[in-house]
Amino acid sequence: MKEPIQKPGTNPSSLSLQDSLSANLQTNEQFFQSVYHNCADVVYRHFSIAGKMKALLIYIEGMSNIEEMDKSVLSPLMQQTPAELENLHAIMEQSITVSSIKENKTFAEVAEQISTGNPVILVDQYSIAISVGLSKWEKRAIEEPLSESVVRGSREGFTETIAVNTSLLRRRIKSPQLKMISMNIGRQTQTKVIVAYMDGLADTTLVEEAKSRLQRIQIDGILESGYIEEFIEDHPYSPFPQILNTERPDVAAANLLEGRIVILVDGTPFVIIVPTSLYSLLQASEDYYQRFMIGTLIRWLRYGFLVMALLLPSGYVAVLTYHQEMVPTTLLLSFAKSRELIPFPALVEALIMEITFEALREAGIRLPKQVGSAVSIVGALVIGQAAVSAGLVSAPMVMVVAITGIASFTIPRYNAAIAIRMLRFPIMLLAGTLGLLGIMLGLIAIIVHLSTVRSFGLPYLSPMGPMRASEMKDVMFRAPWWALRKRPRLTGDYNQNRQPPGQKPDPSKGTE
């Protein structure tokens, strides 16, 4: 392959990133020095190929493997003999022992390779540049996700390096049907984003819709997958999350096998899963690793505590304010005695305690780990006891708020728990003004809203609304694996058969 030789003399100031490289090495160098002006970490290394051909190596310090570059790139090129000089393509092919080599013809392509960490070689009298796949930077080791810890299950979690994350998925799903489409989003950051799906399991229209929504994003930079969530969700003003995020590769792989799409973003361990439903946000990976009876029990416990996290303070306020006849006499007298010296109504009392508890919880998250848990626990005990002793709140209210906080911790997804915590306050206001009628009106408004929400075309209450009886075995309870024969129906066409029938254990059959 003969590269075209251009005449030197192009003015670097008249060039732009979209232009083709010049055949004049000095012109190319001057252009990149102007592009990377005041960039002290960009290194320009001049050398000669076989002592005759002038060349320039450009790389970013700290993002390239310098040892391997000296061994596999610079040393072989500089030791070339003049008799071996035929053309640039042959020289690179015979000398460089790195597997990943790419030819670049424009300044933009070269700048992208340099910013990625790949060293680029420019040679005088040639209008192409050779980038070598030797990017290397510090990265975090694979660890267990702190926000999704389990008793039984994988201890691996995604990291901030997208290549590591894709390999974790490939290690679990070895089928070539696992497809990964790459794109860059962000004018300045050029963040790498990968759309992963199972060919033959995911609906093709769903894949195209995900790609279309991602390609429409026009922004300076993407620093976390949360940026993308806000651009691609269906109902941006809904308090409920319509996109599932996780740090666990096993959760992402399980959703891929159900026909969902996983979106990986470079620089964050949180991957995005679409579409999702309300019930998916209330399920934990460990539900499927324990025996199905245990998984069902824990799931029902989680549903019960979800209701308590949303309605317990509101119910307490409504009953004490408007519906004292619903409380047994002995208990009512106990409540009345505890509230005898309290100067605030039950609604104000509940708001004070809930806001204080939320502040303590947020402070515990933001403080260093060594003191965060101590501050949140000790702070809650000290402030609660002091508030009761000072006569600002009653002891039953402290118990109600504490139980509500514990109930919110049982929700496995942090963004879903935040939605419940947000909705708790307007329902408390309704309970303090209208009693149980206000709570009923608030619940009706929430259910009506949930019925209208969709996630990439999937109804948010699916499979309960619309009702699909065959899929309820993985919603209200967790059926055994041999009974989960069908995949959930998401959008459009799908491959419904997960496994063949007849796999229920039967000791009477013995071994064949």
Side-chain angles (χ1 to χ4, degrees):
M1 171 181 138
K2 292 283 185 179
E3 292 77 10
I5 299 178
Q6 299 177 1
K7 293 182 180 181
T10 307
N11 185 4
S13 61
S14 64
L15 297 173
S16 66
L17 284 172
Q18 285 68 37
D19 291 332
S20 299
L21 291 167
S22 171
N24 189 307
L25 181 61
Q26 185 179 3
T27 300
N28 293 334
E29 180 181 2
Q30 291 175 355
F31 177 80
F32 284 113
Q33 285 180 344
S34 65
V35 170
Y36 291 104
H37 179 62
N38 287 338
C39 296
D41 54 344
V42 178
V43 179
Y44 302 88
R45 169 69 162 87
H46 290 271
F47 67 99
S48 297
I49 300 176
K52 282 191 172 185
M53 196 178 293
K54 293 181 180 180
L56 174 66
L57 179 69
I58 306 178
Y59 64 94
I60 296 180
E61 189 176 11
M63 293 185 66
S64 300
N65 190 336
I66 298 177
E67 295 80 7
E68 190 65 29
M69 185 165 52
D70 292 338
K71 175 184 175 182
S72 303
V73 179
L74 286 178
S75 180
L77 289 176
M78 296 173 69
Q79 292 175 4
Q80 282 276 343
T81 61
E84 295 174 336
L85 296 179
E86 299 177 5
N87 58 63
L88 183 60
H89 182 79
I91 293 171
M92 299 298 174
E93 194 175 59
Q94 295 172 9
S95 303
I96 299 178
T97 58
V98 179
S99 59
S100 177
I101 298 177
K102 181 182 178 182
E103 294 184 358
N104 305 273
K105 298 183 179 180
T106 66
F107 290 106
E109 292 176 355
V110 174
E112 180 182 355
Q113 292 296 318
I114 294 174
S115 300
T116 307
N118 294 326
V120 174
I121 302 170
L122 298 163
V123 183
D124 196 19
Q125 300 300 316
Y126 289 92
S127 59
I128 64 171
I130 304 297
S131 60
V132 186
L134 289 177
S135 60
K136 180 184 178 182
W137 52 81
E138 295 299 324
K139 55 188 177 183
R140 183 169 61 91
I142 297 175
E143 301 170 347
E144 181 180 8
L146 296 178
S147 60
E148 297 179 73
S149 58
V150 294
V151 176
R152 179 176 181 177
S154 172
R155 296 290 188 262
E156 291 182 334
F158 287 122
T159 70
E160 287 76 12
T161 307
I162 196 168
V164 174
N165 297 343
T166 55
S167 68
L168 290 173
L169 284 180
R170 287 284 183 190
R171 214 179 85 189
R172 284 163 174 79
I173 304 177
K174 300 178 177 63
S175 170
Q177 288 181 287
L178 176 57
K179 309 298 182 183
M180 296 189 181
I181 303 172
S182 177
M183 61 183 72
N184 292 336
I185 302 179
R187 288 187 296 269
Q188 305 298 335
T189 61
Q190 289 292 304
T191 305
K192 187 176 183 180
V193 177
I194 290 180
V195 179
Y197 65 97
M198 292 296 295
D199 190 20
L201 300 185
D203 181 18
T204 55
T205 58
L206 179 61
V207 176
E208 293 301 322
E209 178 65 20
K211 289 167 54 181
S212 174
R213 294 192 188 190
L214 290 172
Q215 290 168 352
R216 289 200 302 263
I217 299 176
Q218 299 293 329
I219 190 174
D220 285 343
I222 299 292
L223 303 180
E224 216 279 332
S225 57
Y227 286 44
I228 291 181
E229 283 190 32
E230 294 193 28
F231 277 104
I232 66 175
E233 61 185 356
D234 295 64
H235 302 270
Y237 294 107
S238 173
F240 292 93
Q242 300 129 55
I243 295 173
L244 176 65
N245 60 71
T246 182
E247 288 185 82
R248 298 187 62 87
D250 54 343
V251 173
N255 281 275
L256 284 171
L257 294 175
E258 288 189 346
R260 291 182 173 87
I261 295 173
V262 173
I263 302 173
L264 302 97
V265 181
D266 194 19
T268 175
F270 288 91
V271 305
I272 298 172
I273 300 173
V274 293
T276 190
S277 66
L278 176 64
Y279 304 104
S280 297
L281 296 168
L282 302 178
Q283 296 171 357
S285 59
E286 200 171 6
D287 293 354
Y288 300 93
Y289 302 150
Q290 302 286 359
R291 297 185 70 243
F292 67 94
M293 291 180 288
I294 300 174
T296 301
L297 174 63
I298 294 175
R299 190 168 291 182
W300 274 98
L301 188 69
R302 198 176 293 138
Y303 290 156
F305 275 100
L306 170 68
V307 175
M308 292 176 63
L310 180 64
L311 299 180
L312 184 59
S314 307
Y316 180 81
V317 169
V319 168
L320 284 190
T321 306
Y322 297 101
H323 311 284
Q324 296 90 345
E325 70 278 1
M326 298 179 62
V327 185
T329 304
T330 306
L331 184 60
L332 182 61
L333 291 174
S334 176
F335 283 166
K337 182 179 179 181
S338 64
R339 290 186 46 78
E340 189 175 11
L341 300 176
I342 304 301
F344 305 113
L347 175 60
V348 176
E349 185 184 2
L351 288 174
I352 291 174
M353 286 304 299
E354 283 291 344
I355 293 173
T356 304
F357 187 85
E358 293 296 331
L360 284 172
R361 174 152 49 182
E362 187 67 16
I365 294 174
R366 304 304 164 200
L367 286 172
K369 293 181 182 178
Q370 293 80 358
V371 297
S373 58
V375 167
S376 59
I377 295 172
V378 175
L381 293 173
V382 172
I383 292 176
Q385 183 62 39
V388 172
S389 301
L392 296 177
V393 296
S394 61
M397 178 59 74
V398 174
M399 290 183 58
V400 168
V401 172
I403 295 172
T404 304
I406 294 172
S408 65
F409 286 132
T410 63
I411 302 174
R413 303 296 170 189
Y414 181 71
N415 50 2
I418 290 180
I420 299 300
R421 287 157 56 185
M422 288 173 55
L423 292 172
R424 187 188 304 154
F425 290 95
I427 293 183
M428 285 170 56
L429 294 175
L430 288 172
T433 54
L434 299 175
L436 292 179
L437 176 61
I439 296 178
M440 293 175 60
L441 291 175
L443 285 177
I444 291 173
I446 292 174
I447 294 173
V448 169
H449 170 70
L450 291 175
S451 301
T452 62
V453 173
R454 287 179 175 268
S455 173
F456 276 73
L458 176 70
Y460 201 58
L461 294 179
S462 176
M464 185 172 290
M467 174 65 73
R468 298 193 187 101
S470 61
E471 297 180 20
M472 294 300 294
K473 62 179 65 175
D474 194 26
V475 174
M476 302 311 296
F477 57 94
R478 208 279 277 176
W481 271 112
W482 42 263
L484 296 174
R485 292 176 46 203
K486 305 293 185 181
R487 290 187 180 88
R489 184 178 181 87
L490 302 178
T491 58
D493 297 330
Y494 76 115
N495 186 338
Q496 63 176 355
N497 294 317
R498 191 200 303 264
Q499 58 190 3
Q503 298 198 75
K504 178 181 178 181
D506 189 354
S508 63
K509 291 183 180 179
T511 58
E512 297 181 358

